[in-house]
Amino acid sequence: MSAPKSTTFERIDKDNVMLLVVDLQIGLFQVVRDYQPDEYKNNILAHAALGKVFNLPTILTTSTQQGPNGPLPKEIVEMHPSAPLIKRQGEVNAWDNADFRAAVKATGKKQVIMAGITTDVCTTFLALSLIEEGYTVFTNHEASGAASRRIADEANARMRQAGVHVLSMFAIACDLMRNWTYTPGAPQMLPFFDRYFSGYGYLTRGHDAAIESGQILPGESQ
């Protein structure tokens, strides 16, 4: 058996990272089949909100939005009113668009958090291009959607093989935060999780309810 490959744990540096919202358009949304619609809507809004809560340079881009692909959800556009919105008129790979490349380079950051529709095209093509350009890339797999789970799995495997870090939203958020006592920390992130990660949100609500009531059920402490 061959020895395991040596790897380096590269952390997300909130001071050296940008957020990309790539083709999360309301028309393309409808081809996503690896998540339920309500779940996936929550995922893409959570992805966009990471840029706001951590004050990350954020770039929005769309592909031929005047056609069936449609615009970005209004919630995302309203969340980032001052962010560059690069409306590509034909390029499938966002990196092929000169305005998009210029916007990315203008951030001065060398790490990228990104998600797009579809995982196998918009996310993968751009992620591989960014790797080739020397960026460290973290894809939010929960906010990237594909026409099937198999397609998503194969695309994520292709990206991992090329050195892309494929992570969940929670992993990205926690690596950005690093410590509950930092800023953003508990005061900012607990409301974020309450809105976008309901399991953790309700866990904290339950803790708060127990403190307020001042009692727990017999045996609960064990």
Side-chain angles (χ1 to χ4, degrees):
M1 179 181 295
S2 60
K5 183 179 178 181
S6 177
T7 59
T8 300
F9 178 24
E10 185 167 3
R11 308 289 298 273
I12 302 176
D13 180 356
K14 67 181 180 182
D15 296 319
N16 192 34
V17 69
M18 72 188 85
L19 184 90
L20 304 182
V21 174
V22 183
D23 303 349
L24 299 180
Q25 295 162 248
I26 60 174
L28 292 172
F29 181 96
Q30 297 173 66
V31 308
V32 173
R33 294 292 181 270
D34 51 334
Y35 293 99
Q36 292 295 319
D38 289 344
E39 177 187 14
Y40 189 58
K41 178 183 177 183
N42 178 78
N43 293 353
I44 65 175
L45 295 182
H47 176 75
L50 285 170
K52 188 171 183 180
V53 72
F54 286 99
N55 194 29
L56 306 179
T58 299
I59 300 170
L60 316 177
T61 187
T62 58
S63 174
T64 321
Q65 72 171 47
Q66 72 274 18
N69 291 350
L72 292 172
K74 64 180 182 180
E75 296 95 329
I76 292 178
V77 176
E78 291 171 356
M79 200 183 293
H80 296 285
S82 300
L85 172 52
I86 312 301
K87 299 178 182 179
R88 308 188 323 275
Q89 295 304 311
E91 302 93 345
V92 174
N93 183 349
W95 197 248
D96 291 338
N97 181 278
D99 292 336
F100 181 81
R101 291 196 305 272
V104 168
K105 293 175 181 179
T107 68
K109 311 301 183 182
K110 295 302 293 180
Q111 293 185 338
V112 177
I113 298 168
M114 60 171 291
I117 305 173
T118 61
T119 308
D120 50 320
V121 176
C122 304
T123 303
T124 300
F125 291 2
L126 177 56
L128 298 183
S129 295
L130 289 166
I131 288 287
E132 192 173 48
E133 290 290 323
Y135 291 91
T136 301
V137 181
F138 302 85
T139 63
N140 179 351
H141 74 78
E142 292 178 286
S144 292
S148 72
R149 174 62 65 182
R150 178 178 176 179
I151 290 172
D153 289 345
E154 291 176 350
N156 287 329
R158 180 186 181 190
M159 287 189 283
R160 287 190 182 100
Q161 188 175 33
V164 176
H165 304 275
V166 181
L167 304 177
S168 67
M169 179 278 289
F170 191 53
I172 291 170
C174 288
D175 204 15
L176 281 166
M177 178 180 66
R178 298 200 182 188
N179 190 315
W180 290 103
T181 67
Y182 291 173
T183 301
Q188 297 79 26
M189 295 309 297
L190 289 178
F192 175 89
F193 291 136
D194 188 71
R195 183 167 186 176
Y196 297 113
F197 186 20
S198 57
Y200 200 87
Y202 273 45
L203 178 134
T204 59
R205 289 191 197 192
H207 176 68
D208 179 64
I211 291 174
E212 284 196 0
S213 69
Q215 59 184 339
I216 57 176
L217 294 176
E220 192 176 357
S221 62
Q222 302 300 319

